[in-house]
C-alpha cells in the first residue's frame, strides 16, 4: 500500500541536500543527524499508520540500523528555531510532495537549527550546542568526538549518493590493484623457483 501512495515514503537523508557552498560541513551534518538520517518520512496519517504497523511487525532480532518513523503532524509542529550559522543554514530540502517536505523540514530544523557550525573547538565555548568540521561536538556541559558509522558516509542527498558510488568504486579499484600486485609477486616467485629447478638447485645430490 505504501508503494502506491500518492506521497511515497522517503528516508530523511534522501530529502536533505547540503548546499554547494557548505560542502565542507557535510560530515559534521551527517554526524549530528546520526541514525535520524535514516528515519522514514511519510506524508499522511494513513501512510503513518500503515508504516507503523509494518514497523511493529518487524522482528526485534533483525540486525541493522535502528528503524525510525517520523510522525508527519508532530514533525511539522516541532520547534524549528534556526540560529545564525547553525547547521540548518548549511542544508536545503530536495523537491518532494508538500506533506513529505513539510515533515522533513520541521524535523531537520529541529535537529540542526540550534547546532552551531564552529570554526574551531575553542569557539564551542560561545554556544550551548555546536560542532566543528572534524566532529568535535558540544552539548553543554560536555564535548565529545562524534564518529561516522562505518559504511554510512556520504548519505545526504543526490551528491551524497554520487560520492558514495565514487568511494565504493575507488575501494573496488584499490582491491583489484592489490590483488593484481599480489599476483605479479606470486608469478615472480614461481618463475624464480622454476628457474632454480631448471638450474639443478632442487637436486639433493651434492656436486
Amino acid at each position: 500500500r505504501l508503494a502506491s501512495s500518492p506521497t511515497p515514503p522517503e528516508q530523511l537523508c534522501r530529502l536533505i541536500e547540503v548546499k554547494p557552498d557548505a560542502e565542507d560541513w557535510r560530515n559534521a551534518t551527517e554526524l549530528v543527524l546520526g541514525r535520524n538520517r535514516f528515519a522514514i518520512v511519510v506524508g499522511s496519517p494513513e501512510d503513518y499508520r500503515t508504516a507503523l504497523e509494518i514497523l511493529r511487525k518487524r522482528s526485534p532480532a533483525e540486525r541493522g540500523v535502528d528503524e525510525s518513523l517520523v510522525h508527519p503532524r508532530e514533525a511539522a509542529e516541532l520547534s524549528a528555531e534556526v540560529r545564525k550559522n547553525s547547521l540548518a543554514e548549511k542544508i536545503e530540502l530536495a523537491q518532494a510532495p508538500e506533506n513529505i517536505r513539510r515533515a522533513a523540514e520541521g524535523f531537520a530544523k529541529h535537529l540542526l537549527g540550534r547546532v552551531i557550525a564552529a570554526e574551531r573547538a575553542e569557539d564551542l565555548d560561545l554556544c550551548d550546542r555546536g560542532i566543528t568540521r572534524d566532529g568535535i561536538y558540544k552539548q553543554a556541559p560536555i564535548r565529545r568526538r562524534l564518529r561516522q558509522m562505518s559504511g554510512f558516509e556520504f548519505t545526504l542527498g543526490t551528491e551524497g549518493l554520487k560520492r558514495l558510488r565514487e568511494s565504493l568504486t575507488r575501494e573496488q579499484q584499490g582491491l583489484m590493484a592489490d590483488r593484481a600486485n599480489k599476483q605479479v609477486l606470486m608469478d615472480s616467485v614461481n618463475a624464480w623457483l622454476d628457474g632454480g629447478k631448471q638450474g639443478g638447485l632442487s637436486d639433493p645430490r651434492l656436486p
Side-chain angles (χ1 to χ4, degrees), residues 131-182:
I131 191 170
T132 61
R133 287 180 178 84
D134 59 350
I136 303 298
Y137 176 73
K138 173 189 176 180
Q139 184 168 6
I142 65 168
R143 280 79 167 153
R144 69 176 182 268
R145 164 77 69 182
L146 298 184
R147 301 188 186 281
Q148 186 70 267
M149 291 184 288
S150 178
F152 289 98
E153 302 87 352
F154 310 124
T155 53
L156 298 182
T158 54
E159 181 63 25
L161 283 178
K162 176 183 175 183
R163 289 192 172 204
L164 179 59
R165 283 194 294 268
E166 291 172 351
S167 176
L168 292 174
T169 299
R170 286 195 301 269
E171 182 180 351
Q172 184 180 38
Q173 290 172 341
L175 291 173
M176 292 174 65
D178 186 51
R179 181 178 179 182
N181 290 335
K182 288 179 180 178

Side-chain angles (χ1 to χ4, degrees), residues 19-58:
K19 293 179 179 177
D21 62 352
E23 187 59 39
D24 54 341
W25 287 99
R26 173 180 295 276
N27 183 61
T29 304
E30 290 187 341
L31 290 172
V32 171
L33 290 173
R35 288 180 170 83
N36 285 317
R37 65 187 126 154
F38 306 115
I40 301 299
V41 183
V42 295
S44 70
E46 294 77 16
D47 286 350
Y48 172 77
R49 286 191 290 270
T50 301
L52 183 62
E53 184 63 16
I54 294 171
L55 184 65
R56 188 186 66 80
K57 291 179 178 178
R58 297 292 293 270

Side-chain angles (χ1 to χ4, degrees), residues 8 15-16 18 28 38 43 50 66 68 82 85 112 116 118-119 121 126 133 143-144 164-166 168 180 187 196:
L15 297 166
I16 293 177
V18 177
F38 306 115
T50 301
D66 293 343
S68 303
V82 175
N85 202 35
L112 303 174
I116 303 303
E119 292 293 334
L126 306 176
R133 287 180 178 84
R143 280 79 167 153
R144 69 176 182 268
L164 179 59
R165 283 194 294 268
E166 291 172 351
L168 292 174
D187 291 344

